[in-house]
Amino acid sequence: MRTLCEIRNLSVTYRGQTIPALNRIDLDIVTGERLAIIGESGSGKSTLARAVAGLLPVGAKLAGKMRWSSGQPPLPGRDLGFVFQDPSSSLNPVLTIGEQVAEGARRHLGLSWREAYGHALKMLERVRIPEPDKAMKAFPHQLSGGQRQRIAIAAALAGRPGILIADEATSALDMVVQAEIVSLLDELVREAGMTLIFITHDIALASGFADRVAIFKDGRLAEIGPTGHVLSSPKEPYTKTLIASHRDLTTPPLIREAAS
Ligand SMILES: Nc1ncnc2c1ncn2[C@@H]1O[C@H](COP(=O)(O)OP(=O)(O)OP(=O)(O)O)[C@@H](O)[C@H]1O
Ligand SMILES: [Mg+2]
């Protein structure tokens, strides 16, 4: 187990706020793991994602340490891909799909436009966009929400980053599409040996594929451990409540599987 990033005593306070959005977090991110960050709205999940990605807004005060095994923080786009909840935050409405997926490959893989376009087309095939040739020339609004989210994943992965952060990347989608996208992410990340940080408020969704789950509450890391362990023997009352609110998780065989 190799540590990718050692987070120690990390606190983040946004400008104009007195209560920190993240409060003294200690967390090791392991290279190649699929780590789920779970917690209710406002618990600090996105703040953690932005802090890890170096994408905190101006004026946010960061205290504590993040030590990266490579010696320096990952460069967004090249070393780290980010998929947001709302694909319109990831995609530019005035550029074609092809242009924006190719841009990451061109910039970060040093490809020519023509090569990058070819790479982008392959990425669209990888994320199973129907008629990828046609989709390359389309604008984001011409696709469905699920397709846009697949494109956002393709764009995030175009520069072949080692780390992918998906911040509620599937929350806006219906359950079937959600499950499809999660299994696609799982497959792509596994194939490339990427580290995945998957943020969700849905413990059931995360428990299907995450190696570890971290439970956040009120800006603090309430609990962290291997998924099966946390599900079968949660330590924190909040985690117990989360699990209890998902009938599917408290009934066999998921608990049996998780415990094994
Ligand atoms: N740009 C900002 N300026 C001021 N406060 C902010 C900002 N972004 C987030 N916060 C506050 O920080 C706290 C943590 O927010 P954060 O977005 O990290 O939570 P979250 O767990 O991602 O919630 P959600 O599930 O709703 O996305 C909240 O109290 C929120 O209001
Ligand atoms: Mg959030």
Side-chain angles (χ1 to χ4, degrees):
M1 252 186 19
R2 214 159 56 84
T3 303
L4 175 71
C5 180
E6 241 179 64
I7 299 174
R8 291 291 175 273
N9 213 12
L10 179 76
S11 298
V12 174
T13 310
Y14 288 103
R15 194 200 309 229
Q17 306 286 83
T18 44
I19 300 169
L22 272 187
N23 203 339
R24 297 173 177 271
I25 303 299
D26 287 320
L27 168 67
D28 283 350
I29 302 171
V30 177
T31 304
E33 76 170 331
R34 283 159 299 162
L35 173 65
I37 307 285
I38 300 167
E40 62 198 359
S41 183
S43 56
K45 305 181 299 293
S46 295
T47 303
L48 178 74
R50 287 190 219 112
V52 167
L55 296 174
L56 282 170
V58 182
K61 211 172 83 211
L62 190 144
K65 282 208 171 67
M66 273 188 286
R67 204 173 298 122
W68 291 90
S69 61
S70 61
Q72 54 203 2
L75 187 71
R78 187 191 68 187
D79 308 316
L80 180 145
F82 209 113
V83 186
F84 297 87
Q85 168 165 2
D86 172 8
S88 58
S89 324
S90 309
L91 299 176
N92 186 330
V94 300
L95 292 180
T96 64
I97 299 301
E99 282 166 334
Q100 37 199 321
V101 179
E103 171 58 15
R106 191 190 63 77
R107 191 183 307 171
H108 300 295
L109 301 178
L111 303 180
S112 68
W113 256 117
R114 181 194 285 267
E115 289 165 337
Y117 206 80
H119 178 73
L121 184 60
K122 281 203 200 104
M123 289 302 304
L124 260 53
E125 286 165 8
R126 274 313 281 109
V127 297
R128 300 193 201 103
I129 290 288
E131 303 187 83
D133 272 315
K134 220 166 118 190
M136 287 287 278
K137 298 185 191 88
F139 290 92
H141 74 269
Q142 293 170 308
L143 304 175
S144 72
Q147 284 171 350
R148 276 201 294 269
Q149 206 50 295
R150 285 168 196 268
I151 300 288
I153 292 170
L157 294 182
R160 296 208 186 100
I163 310 162
L164 184 70
I165 300 184
D167 187 358
E168 305 265 11
T170 62
S171 309
L173 306 169
D174 69 60
M175 271 173 71
V176 174
V177 183
Q178 222 178 65
E180 279 170 17
I181 303 247
V182 165
S183 95
L184 174 69
L185 269 178
D186 186 33
E187 181 187 314
L188 294 172
V189 162
R190 209 184 277 266
E191 243 174 49
M194 257 185 287
T195 306
L196 174 68
I197 300 178
F198 185 86
I199 296 174
T200 179
H201 52 262
D202 187 341
I203 194 168
L205 187 70
S207 62
F209 73 101
D211 302 311
R212 288 198 302 160
V213 295
I215 312 281
F216 278 74
K217 174 136 178 55
D218 301 334
R220 294 181 190 268
L221 177 56
E223 176 161 17
I224 181 164
T227 307
H229 195 81
V230 173
L231 282 186
S232 57
S233 33
K235 284 201 303 251
E236 295 293 326
Y238 174 65
T239 315
K240 288 179 191 159
T241 316
L242 265 185
I243 294 173
S245 67
H246 275 282
R247 205 169 38 89
D248 297 354
L249 289 175
T250 51
T251 47
L254 234 169
I255 278 289
R256 270 209 307 277
E257 258 172 46
S260 64

